[in-house]
Amino acid sequence: MQVAFVVLLVFAAAILAPMLHRLLGRRTGWWLALIPTTIFLYYLSRITEFQAGGSIRYSLEWVPSLGLDFSFHVDGLSYLFVLLVSGIGAAVLVFGGGYLQGHPLQGRFYSYLLLFMGSMLGLVMADNLLLLFIFWEMTSVSSYLLIGFNHQDDEARRAAWQALLITGAGGLVLLAGILLLGGITGSFSFIQLLEQAEIVRQSPLYLPILLLVLGGVVTKSAQVPFHFWLPGAMSAPTPVSAYLHSATMVKAGIFLLARLNPVLGGTAEWHYLVTLMGAVTMLVGALMALPQTDLKRFLAYSTVSALGTIVLLLGLSTTLATKAAIIFLLVHSLYKATLFMVAGAVDHETGTRDVLSLGGLVRVMPITSAAAGLAALSMSGFPPLLGFISKELLYEAKIQTPDLSPLLLGIGVLANMVNVAVAVKVGIRPFWGRPGRACCEAHEAPLSLWLGPMVFAVTGLLFGLFPDLATPLLEPAVSAVKAENVDFTLKLWHGINPVFLLSVATVLGGVVLFRLRDHIRRLGNDLRRFSGLNPSRLYDRGLQSLMALARWQTRLIQHGFLRQYILLLVMIFGGLLLFSLLQMQEGSIRWNLSGIHLLDIALAVVILLATLTVTRTRSRMTAVVALGVVGFGIALIQVIYSAPDLAITQILVEMLAVILFVFLFYKMPRFSDLSSPGRKLRDALIALACGGIVTVLVLKAVALQIEEPVSSYYAQNSVLEAYGRNVVNVILVDFRALDTLGEILVLSLAALGVVALLKLKQKSESSS
Amino acid sequence: MSDISFSAILPELILCIFGILVMVLGPFLGRNSRSFGGTLALLGFATSIVGALLVPESAGKLFFNGMVTTDAFSIFFRVLFAAIGVVMTLGSLNYLHRLKLPTFEYFALLLFASAGMNFMVLSTDLLLTFIGLEILSIATYVLAGIRRDDAASNESAIKYFFMGSFSSAILLYGVALIYGSAHSTSYQAILKHAAAVNGQQQIPLLFLIGFGLIIVGFCFKVAVVPFQVWAPDVYEGAPTPITGFLSVASKMAGFAALIRILFQVLPHDLPQWVQLLVVSSILTMWIGNLSALTQTNIKRMLAYSSIAHAGYILIGIVAANQTGITAILYYAVAYALMNLGAFTIITILSGRDDRRVTLEDYKGIGFQYPQLSFPLTICLISLAGIPTTAGFIGKFFLFSAAVEEKMYLLAVLAVLAALVSVYYYLRVVVYMFMFEPDGKREVRIHPAAGVVVLVCCLLIFWFGLFPTWLLEVSRQAVILFLHP
């Protein structure tokens, strides 16, 4: 129960936040942070349960017929994520309270942030994949709201829209994958999916499912080639970047990948697709991070690279790699959240995020500097921080990969060198470097801005010094991903071995990269001029060409000309008949001409001539009269074939129609704007073809036997049932009495209508 | 003849009587009592809901010489149509007043159209179905052109009339062929005939072509590819509330009649038709959604979107399983709520001359008129199929029907088509909330329309969060189609 309650609680807080803000004013952030803190502490208190391999389940029926229910399943993996989301969430609420102090829409900001937090908590705790999808889309939407928070800004609006389109679309692709999964296994529950993992992997639909699910992952977790929305999303307020775009939301894709690892993982397709995707992202992210100058953009690209690393490790899916992935996930969340918040604090205090003009801040912002330094060291993998342990494990996992080892190791070392360089640029230089332009008027940030970063930085240090503190968090998570019990012991110091030497080389390489930063920036600027093919532009172009396609087909189909529409309708009609005729060979055409008289032929000729006249004439009146001739001709045929009642009706209708037409056309001009001969020819051909097809159909239908006519029933039963000898009278007042009543009604209504019309006319005459 | 039972057609009688009352009393009351027509129509529709609920439900028994059924399916749609009538009446009161349109004609035609739709769903005879269709069609031809002094409205009516007449003729030709083959137009007799021939030989050609043509006729009415071409032009030109009516009510009536014919009359295992309808469904979803992408006129955009939605509904028909048909009924309600809600709001915002319906006109109204922009957002996200709304449940249900039948490609293409649609629905939201308004404009919200909007939005969420009841009702209503 408490699982669902947690999510509801956060959503309730989201709804109430603007009101609370009005009540509490400046301290709202602190108060609201109590909610995630409570969640955090509550779950932390249950740590032994999870360590023992326990899990929490809760299920409430929602729409059983759809297989959709509120079922939650908190296992080791979810547990780690819940702690991250609630812990970092609390810090970000406090931080956001300080950062956006006095912003007119701060209440709305809290609201969006909590909405996101609730969705994210729901996402990581959901057992039902559909529920997961729902929360997945909710994180996309709340992320949209947060990125576009400064909606007066064109850039923010564009970035928000881009992020929403990409992650939202990815979500729907994921839904398609989930639907297929459910189609195979008959259930959307992850737990039941797990039991049928083998069936899924054997299924011919395995590859489509994998591709669709990965479609969700690449978009959400900003993998190449969909990585570009993430740096764009940096136009969000910094607390948002710290929370969504580094620590939590972008990890939703990772979460899903880890979650489905026991079901979809372990195959060759998985291995190559996921690993390659991760490797490319890692490399691209690292390379693009180097030439930046904005603190946040550095961090954004290095996040892309880090996400690539985790995906790569999950793709390898050895136990060691999984361990490395999970521990790196934790480390990255800790130091990235810290660095983002530090960047925010610096921006808040100095008014700039440009690394070129920052330096020497340690003198005015000592606490922030300390947090930044610790995080930067963790990021570059210095002992004794947790980042060091993580990097060692990472290298080890790559070395032990059977087939791709050298390549992956190469990319890995390079990416980590870049990480070191970025860490120095973001976490060291602005604080300990030469004092820059924006420095000395700044003050230490207020408590709300440094508390969070400091806590995370110190946590990273503590976990590094005493790795046993971290294992209870990591072990259940790894076990959940591998779906088996995994033993986990971490050591800070492994002695001097190849992995350690690699680490040293990485740090040295990173420092060299940092030294060469100006050259790299110049190189990067030069390269950018040639990069016409970057994915962001491809996205724009893709969107444009989709629009162009849409416009083209709309113009093609929806031109607005009625005659073409009718032409299309006639052609489809003829085509369908032709198709059916060709399909069915049975039924031969009987050429029995014995019953045809001269009169029939004469009538047919007259009707044909009249029809031709209709199509040829330039006068409306002639056309109407010719149409009348067609109608009367048909009536005469009916007379000949002994259907006088039908003929009478036909003649009356024809007369009425012709008279009405004549009245209407009396004042209209002659036809103008006639079709060109070519078009006429085309229309004639189509008309002839359709006519021909229908004729064949009618000839085939000739052999019909119609049942006995109704009239005999009335003739026989007139006396028996209604005691009347005049059959017509009996039909009118007995057999079809209701019809007669209806006709009387219609006539009287018509009479009333006439009266009303006359009355209206009098009125309007008298008024005018 | 003992099977004449007026209680079986009580709602239709009510609708017709009120229609006649409105039509006849109108000219006598004159222009001073505009709201009278609306009140009468409202009363008529409301009584008709009650009447439909009072109809004794019986699946097996037929009335009026085997022409009328009172099964749960017909009652479901009769209640739905009357409810749509209530919504239409409340939503267009102010509109008619603002544009100085003839109220009595409008409401009388609406009542007759509603009666026609009812006849389409309760009929178990091809001729009665056809007559119902024509009652609906003729009333809507006139309604589309009721703004007589407006060129667009006239164009809309003419196009609708011509295309509609053609398709009616095709349908009637199909009926004639069936009659020729089965010697009857009653569903029961046709089914018996089909079962008889099915045992011994191939199904006769005429019979098959007849059905094909009838399906074509209904495909026109519900506007699925390739019979959708009329829809955007007609929807754009018609008066805004009527556009809503055409895109919801007459479409649903067409689908209901089509379902009855396909599942109650048509002999089963006719795969070639299903194949054609699968193709049609895919094309309908894609052409509808792609065309909607580029529209800047919201009415036209929703016209294309309603084409796409017909494609989604078609999935339920081609899947032809319990999930599929149940989903169609659920979706009918959900779609009615979100589309009528949206059209009611668009009507309110359409201005004095019903022209303020482009995206530009929606710039910045988000925080200017939150009482309109938030409900419109809700309707649009429901149309887009975003979770927690009724639109999501319906769409999901339809798609899973396809998955159940192992039509994976269809399901995936449907999801991707829905993906495209998200773009244009949310674009409206972006225009409303993220741009600055071009200036102040005067918008008056009539309380009646306000109530409609509020109820639609609440129900969208209600059925989105607690869909079980409606799903159960829908399931009960379609049980009769599920042959063991």
Side-chain angles (χ1 to χ4, degrees), chain A residues 587-596 692 695-700 702-703:
Chain A
S588 56
I589 297 170
R590 277 191 239 161
W591 293 104
N592 182 3
L593 303 175
S594 60
I596 297 178
T695 310
V696 173
L697 186 68
V698 170
L699 284 173
K700 282 199 174 191
V702 153

Side-chain angles (χ1 to χ4, degrees), chain A residues 62-68 70 108 112 130 133-135 137-138 141 144-145 148-149 151-152 154 157 160-161 164-165 168-170 172-173 175-180 182-184 188 205 212 539 543 546-554 557-562 565-566 568-570 572-573 576-577 579-581 583-586 694-695 697-698 700-702 704-707 713-714 735-736 738 745 749 752-753 755-757 759-760 763, chain B residues 1 4 6 20 23-24 27-31 64-65 155 158-160 162-163 166-167 170 173 177 179-183 202-206 208-209 212-213 216 220 226-233 272-273 276 286-295 300 304 307 323 367 384-388 392-393 396-397 399-400 403-404 406 408 411-412 415-416 418-420 422-424 426-427 429-430 433-436 464-468 471:
Chain A
W62 183 11
V63 197
S65 45
L66 287 185
L68 181 56
F70 282 112
R108 209 183 284 167
Y112 294 164
L130 291 173
F133 160 76
I134 291 175
F135 285 122
E137 290 298 56
M138 282 173 73
V141 172
Y144 166 75
L145 294 172
F149 187 66
H151 62 79
Q152 309 84 340
D154 264 344
R157 218 156 49 201
W161 188 225
L164 179 65
L165 279 188
L172 280 171
V173 173
L175 176 65
I178 293 176
L179 274 177
L180 292 189
I184 296 178
F188 294 107
L205 285 173
L212 290 170
Y539 158 85
L543 218 53
L546 183 68
M547 288 298 176
L549 171 75
R551 261 192 294 275
W552 170 77
Q553 66 93 12
T554 310
I557 302 173
Q558 220 69 55
H559 38 65
F561 291 111
L562 182 58
Y565 290 167
I566 291 182
L568 180 74
L569 193 65
V570 171
I572 291 166
F573 172 67
L576 272 178
L577 286 185
F579 175 73
S580 326
L581 281 173
Q583 282 257 310
M584 309 290 248
Q585 304 291 334
E586 50 117 10
V694 173
T695 310
L697 186 68
V698 170
K700 282 199 174 191
V702 153
L704 283 175
Q705 284 296 316
I706 304 296
E707 276 187 357
Y713 169 85
Y714 293 124
F735 290 120
R736 313 296 298 177
L738 260 179
L745 192 67
L749 279 178
L752 274 174
V755 170
L757 276 176
K759 201 169 153 264
L760 266 182
K763 253 191 198 168
Chain B
M1 295 184 194
I4 290 182
F6 288 104
I20 292 169
M23 191 171 72
V24 172
F28 291 101
L29 290 168
R31 287 173 171 266
F64 292 97
N65 250 337
E155 182 190 340
I158 282 288
K159 279 185 172 164
Y160 194 25
F162 268 103
M163 299 294 285
F166 257 88
S167 72
I170 291 177
Y173 198 54
L177 289 180
Y179 180 73
S181 180
H183 307 297
Q202 220 176 3
I203 302 159
L205 173 69
L206 285 186
L208 215 61
I209 295 182
L213 295 182
V216 165
F220 171 86
F227 308 101
Q228 89 295 6
V229 282
W230 58 277
D233 294 0
Q272 62 263 58
W273 286 116
L276 280 183
W286 278 93
I287 290 183
N289 279 329
L290 278 181
S291 302
L293 274 184
T294 60
Q295 302 306 320
R300 204 173 169 86
Y304 284 112
I307 292 176
T323 320
F367 294 110
I386 288 172
T388 68
F392 166 71
I393 300 277
F396 176 76
F397 213 6
F399 296 170
S400 33
V403 172
E404 250 174 56
K406 307 217 181 307
Y408 297 117
V412 170
V415 173
L416 295 180
L419 189 159
V420 173
V422 173
Y423 182 90
Y424 61 83
L426 290 187
R427 191 175 48 188
V429 180
V430 170
F433 286 96
M434 297 235 165
F435 285 93
E436 296 305 314
L465 291 172
F466 310 102
T468 317
L471 282 175

Side-chain angles (χ1 to χ4, degrees), chain B residues 106-436:
Chain B
Y106 180 92
F107 285 118
L109 287 168
L110 211 54
L111 285 159
F112 289 135
S114 203
M117 299 194 295
N118 278 8
F119 280 118
M120 285 168 75
V121 296
L122 61 75
S123 142
T124 51
D125 191 291
L126 283 174
L127 277 184
L128 185 60
T129 313
F130 177 74
I131 290 173
L133 178 73
E134 283 304 288
I135 296 177
L136 166 68
S137 301
I138 292 171
T140 44
Y141 299 152
V142 182
L143 281 172
I146 205 159
R147 295 185 62 194
R148 278 187 311 178
D149 45 2
D150 180 74
S153 180
N154 282 327
E155 182 190 340
S156 157
I158 282 288
K159 279 185 172 164
Y160 194 25
F161 173 69
F162 268 103
M163 299 294 285
S165 310
F166 257 88
S167 72
S168 290
I170 291 177
L171 195 146
L172 204 53
Y173 198 54
V175 173
L177 289 180
I178 297 267
Y179 180 73
S181 180
H183 307 297
S184 170
T185 51
S186 129
Y187 289 178
Q188 263 186 329
I190 297 171
L191 187 62
K192 219 176 282 169
H193 170 77
V197 274
N198 211 4
Q200 17 170 309
Q201 68 201 56
Q202 220 176 3
I203 302 159
L205 173 69
L206 285 186
F207 195 64
L208 215 61
I209 295 182
F211 265 114
L213 295 182
I214 289 176
I215 293 172
V216 165
F218 281 112
C219 281
F220 171 86
K221 202 78 222 163
V222 300
V224 299
V225 174
F227 308 101
Q228 89 295 6
V229 282
W230 58 277
D233 294 0
V234 172
Y235 287 7
E236 187 183 354
T240 308
I242 296 305
T243 310
F245 186 76
L246 289 177
S247 70
V248 176
S250 74
K251 187 168 285 215
M252 287 314 150
F255 268 118
L258 189 60
I259 289 173
R260 194 185 282 287
I261 289 179
L262 282 175
F263 294 105
Q264 208 168 29
V265 189
L266 194 63
H268 289 268
D269 49 77
L270 282 176
Q272 62 263 58
W273 286 116
V274 173
Q275 289 310 317
L276 280 183
L277 286 178
V278 170
V279 175
S280 171
S281 164
I282 293 172
L283 286 177
T284 308
M285 290 184 285
W286 278 93
I287 290 183
N289 279 329
L290 278 181
S291 302
L293 274 184
T294 60
Q295 302 306 320
T296 51
N297 179 316
I298 293 191
K299 264 164 86 180
R300 204 173 169 86
M301 185 197 92
L302 284 179
Y304 284 112
S305 119
S306 92
I307 292 176
H309 282 271
Y312 302 138
I313 294 178
L314 217 47
I315 296 179
I317 289 185
V318 295
N321 49 19
Q322 187 193 339
T323 320
I325 320 175
T326 311
I328 294 178
L329 266 63
Y330 176 90
Y331 205 70
V333 176
Y335 177 71
L337 286 172
M338 53 209 191
N339 231 26
L340 285 179
F343 271 106
T344 309
I345 298 165
I346 294 171
T347 307
I348 296 174
L349 286 167
S350 66
R352 256 181 201 294
D353 53 353
D354 201 11
R355 285 276 160 73
R356 305 205 65 168
V357 287
T358 63
L359 269 180
E360 290 294 312
D361 294 321
Y362 281 68
K363 263 191 179 173
I365 62 168
F367 294 110
Q368 215 174 4
Y369 298 106
Q371 65 274 48
L372 292 176
S373 60
F374 279 95
L376 185 56
T377 306
I378 291 169
C379 293
L380 290 173
I381 63 170
S382 181
L383 281 167
I386 288 172
T388 68
T389 59
F392 166 71
I393 300 277
K395 226 175 248 175
F396 176 76
F397 213 6
L398 285 169
F399 296 170
S400 33
V403 172
E404 250 174 56
E405 292 300 308
K406 307 217 181 307
M407 298 173 164
Y408 297 117
L409 185 67
L410 177 64
V412 170
L413 283 175
V415 173
L416 295 180
L419 189 159
V420 173
S421 76
V422 173
Y423 182 90
Y424 61 83
Y425 290 123
L426 290 187
R427 191 175 48 188
V428 181
V429 180
V430 170
Y431 265 81
M432 290 197 296
F433 286 96
M434 297 235 165
F435 285 93
E436 296 305 314

Side-chain angles (χ1 to χ4, degrees), chain B residues 5-25:
Chain B
S5 153
F6 288 104
S7 63
I9 53 165
L10 187 60
E12 295 69 41
L13 288 177
I14 294 172
L15 287 173
C16 288
I17 290 170
F18 272 92
I20 292 169
L21 270 182
V22 173
M23 191 171 72
V24 172
L25 289 180

